[in-house]
Amino acid sequence: MVTSATGLLYVDGSEGRSMTPTLITANRNYSSWSLRPWVLMKALGIAFEDRIEPFGEAENYVAFRAFSPTGQVPVLIDGDRTIWDSLGITLYLAERYDGVWPKDEAARAWAMSATAEMHGGFAALRNDCTMNIGVRVNPRPASPALDRNIARLAELWAEGIERFGGPWLAGADFSAVDAFYAPVAFRVRSYGLDVGSAGAAWVAHILDHPAMRDWEATALTETWREASHEAELAAAGTITADYRAG
C-alpha cells in the first residue's frame, strides 16, 4: 500500500469512504496504459493498493474480465465502484483530489487537450515503438506517420513548457498531462527519438521522478515475457542492450 504523503482528501463529500482503492495494472515493462494512473497517483500522494496482473498470453481478455469490464487494464476498484480506462480513472480522480489538473485555467485547458490527444492519437508511435522499458533499440527507418508523430511531440512539449514555464508540461507542478506522456518518455529513451531540446529536457526530468524510477526498477526485475510484445519489439528494430532480469 502507498500511503498519502500530502494528506489529500476526497472533495465530493465522500470523505467517509473507508476502503483504500485498488489500482490493477499489468507488467511494468510493457504496460504503458497502466503507467499513467499509477504514476499520477504516486506523484500526487494518493493512497492505493497496488495490484499487478501480468499479461499471461497474447489474449488476456477472459482472465482480465474477472475484474475489468473491458478485459483490459488499468482498472481502479474504489469500494463498490469499478472505474476503467486510464482517462476514465483520471477524470474520476480529478473530481476527488486536487492537483490532477493545473489550477491555472489556460494551463488546465491546454493540459486537458494534450491529454486527450495522447489518449486518442499517436498511433504510429504506439505501433512502431512498442513500450519495453528494459531495452535500448536501434529502430528501423521511421515511416512518414511516425516522423509526424515525433515532430508533433516535439512541438507540443515545447509549446507547453514555453507557455507555462516548466519544468512540467503545464507549469511548475506535475499533473495528468505529464502522467499521460510518461510512457512516451520511456519510448524516447529506448529508441533514441529526437524530440527537440525542450522535449529532451522534459524526458530527463520525468525519468528522474521518484515514481518513474520506482516503476522502472520493478520493470527491470520482471522475468515475465509475453510473446506478442516480444514480437513487436523484434519488429521495431535491433536490440542493442537488454537490462531486464532473466
Side-chain angles (χ1 to χ4, degrees):
M1 183 180 74
V2 180
T3 56
S4 173
T6 61
L8 293 172
L9 295 174
Y10 285 107
V11 296
D12 67 340
S14 56
E15 291 89 344
R17 294 176 69 84
S18 60
M19 181 179 293
T20 301
T22 296
L23 182 66
I24 306 175
T25 61
N27 310 49
R28 298 287 197 254
N29 188 54
Y30 299 135
S31 188
S32 59
W33 299 89
S34 293
L35 171 58
R36 293 165 174 171
W38 189 94
V39 75
L40 179 64
M41 295 176 79
K42 278 274 196 173
L44 297 183
I46 300 172
F48 64 97
E49 297 283 351
D50 192 356
R51 173 178 158 190
I52 299 177
E53 294 285 345
F55 297 125
E57 52 192 32
E59 178 54 73
N60 298 276
Y61 177 80
V62 173
F64 283 12
R65 277 278 292 174
F67 53 81
S68 169
T70 62
Q72 297 175 316
V73 290
V75 173
L76 184 70
I77 309 296
D78 189 14
D80 58 358
R81 300 172 185 167
T82 298
I83 305 94
W84 62 95
D85 189 278
S86 57
L87 184 56
I89 294 168
T90 298
L91 296 175
Y92 182 79
L93 294 173
E95 292 183 337
R96 289 156 178 79
Y97 296 97
D98 292 331
V100 173
W101 300 115
K103 291 182 179 179
D104 176 77
E105 185 175 352
R108 186 165 63 253
W110 183 91
M112 288 177 171
S113 297
T115 295
E117 182 178 357
M118 180 71 251
H119 189 262
F122 296 97
L125 179 69
R126 299 181 201 279
N127 293 334
D128 297 352
C129 299
T130 184
M131 186 161 113
N132 198 308
I133 291 172
V135 301
R136 304 296 179 269
V137 178
N138 181 15
R140 67 184 183 185
S143 66
L146 178 58
D147 279 338
R148 288 193 295 270
N149 279 185
I150 295 170
R152 176 57 183 154
L153 285 173
E155 175 186 56
L156 183 67
W157 292 352
E159 178 190 3
I161 292 166
E162 180 179 350
R163 283 184 61 186
F164 307 113
W168 300 108
L169 291 178
D173 299 315
F174 186 102
S175 68
V177 67
D178 298 288
F180 266 69
Y181 285 89
V184 181
F186 282 126
R187 286 178 163 101
V188 168
R189 186 183 64 181
S190 289
Y191 296 91
L193 306 180
D194 182 1
V195 291
S197 58
W202 176 80
V203 167
H205 190 56
I206 195 169
L207 289 177
D208 194 45
H209 191 287
M212 291 286 280
R213 288 191 274 110
D214 186 357
W215 180 278
E216 180 182 8
T218 304
L220 296 181
T221 66
E222 291 177 346
T223 57
W224 299 311
R225 299 291 184 269
E226 195 282 306
S228 66
H229 286 87
E230 293 300 307
E232 290 173 355
L233 176 64
T238 303
I239 298 173
T240 59
D242 191 335
Y243 302 108
R244 297 174 294 174

